[in-house]
Amino acid sequence: MITAGVTGGIGSGKTTVCREFEKLGAHVVYADDLAKELMVQNQDVINQLKKTFGNETYHTDGSLNKSHLIREAFEKERVEELNNIVHPAVRKEFRNISQKSEKRGEKLVVKEAALLLNNGRPGDLDVIILVLSNRELQVERVKKRDRVTESDITARMNKQPVFEDLTPLADYVIYNNGSLEELQKKARELYHVLVHTEFG
Ligand code: ATP
């Protein structure tokens, strides 16, 4: 079994690539979704978040007080503290998931995350796949998908790494500047390369 990370900027096409992998049998873990789950289910994460951002981080019913966390973490430039709590928990859970997948005889386990190469190449993934796209296309796609303004998108993009600079850390780069079908085809081809190559 191999583990792969799929990363890239907002609207670059990461999820589309992962959906194709899933169709072919890969087990994909979406880091954002897993993080959201752990923030309400993992007691260690809950305790650390309360300690760092205050008890108001959770409503009395145990649900996340998103507006409080946005105010405390994002508007006060404390995102790194949030990431330092959530990311290690995501990595740990991904390891658990991968171990279970291996026992089940699965061939490919994938972690999809925009923040994957911020501290260099992660040691727990066999292969890194970077999805790159022209900036204008990314903006156009996200505008269509999320109905958000162009300035919101560019503000989010400007907080992300310059993914083109991260190509030396990737084993495979998928350029997504053509049609959706072309991207899906590239993903399917890569899936077959991955499951038929010995890594490590
Ligand atoms: P985010 O980080 O914002 O979640 P992402 O990198 O996961 O984005 P996707 O969700 O795969 O990106 O793609 C963004 C949108 O653009 C989706 O609606 C997807 O269907 C569409 N899209 C992706 N690639 C193409 C393409 N080549 N042509 C047309 N539409 C595309």
Side-chain angles (χ1 to χ4, degrees):
M1 187 198 77
I2 65 160
T3 54
V6 174
T7 192
I10 174 173
S12 60
K14 298 180 292 299
T15 308
T16 306
V17 167
C18 288
R19 297 272 184 240
E20 285 310 297
F21 287 170
E22 276 177 325
K23 285 183 206 163
L24 296 169
H27 184 151
V28 181
V29 175
Y30 296 89
D32 276 356
D33 296 342
L34 179 57
K36 281 182 198 143
E37 218 177 282
L38 293 173
M39 283 163 84
V40 289
Q41 286 176 7
N42 181 308
Q43 201 52 50
D44 192 34
V45 170
I46 295 170
N47 293 344
Q48 287 188 68
L49 287 176
K50 280 186 182 170
K51 200 171 152 200
T52 310
F53 297 109
N55 286 334
E56 317 89 287
T57 307
Y58 291 88
H59 295 293
T60 44
D61 66 359
S63 61
L64 192 68
N65 183 346
K66 284 186 199 135
S67 49
H68 174 80
L69 196 59
I70 289 169
R71 250 190 333 271
E72 290 301 310
F74 292 90
E75 289 170 12
K76 293 185 184 168
E77 307 278 329
R78 295 179 69 196
V79 184
E80 212 175 312
E81 287 173 70
L82 174 65
N83 288 344
N84 287 342
I85 296 169
V86 177
H87 288 183
V90 168
R91 273 199 299 278
K92 193 170 162 195
E93 188 54 29
F94 181 75
R95 265 200 308 279
N96 292 338
I97 293 169
S98 305
Q99 280 164 4
K100 285 183 196 151
S101 289
E102 184 147 37
K103 281 190 192 136
R104 282 198 295 266
E106 291 173 6
K107 288 184 184 157
L108 177 65
V109 183
V110 178
K111 182 178 185 181
E112 192 247 48
L115 295 181
L116 195 69
L117 301 172
N118 291 40
N119 298 311
R121 203 187 142 104
D124 57 349
L125 296 166
D126 299 318
V127 167
I128 301 294
I129 300 157
L130 176 61
V131 186
L132 290 181
S133 218
N134 290 342
R135 220 178 139 89
E136 313 79 67
L137 287 173
Q138 289 174 249
V139 172
E140 209 178 281
R141 290 178 197 140
V142 177
K143 227 159 74 180
K144 209 161 145 193
R145 186 191 61 187
D146 299 341
R147 310 217 167 271
V148 284
T149 65
E150 190 158 335
S151 61
D152 281 343
I153 303 165
T154 42
R156 277 161 68 188
M157 273 178 143
N158 291 339
K159 286 188 184 154
Q160 292 191 326
V162 178
F163 284 93
E164 284 75 10
D165 294 347
L166 298 175
T167 49
L169 299 177
D171 302 286
Y172 299 95
V173 179
I174 296 181
Y175 292 94
N176 178 23
N177 296 316
S179 68
L180 193 60
E181 292 69 28
E182 278 173 67
L183 176 65
Q184 290 166 330
K185 184 166 176 273
K186 284 181 185 178
R188 285 196 296 273
E189 285 168 357
L190 180 55
Y191 173 87
H192 293 295
V193 171
L194 293 175
V195 298
H196 292 113
T197 307
E198 289 287 328
F199 293 93

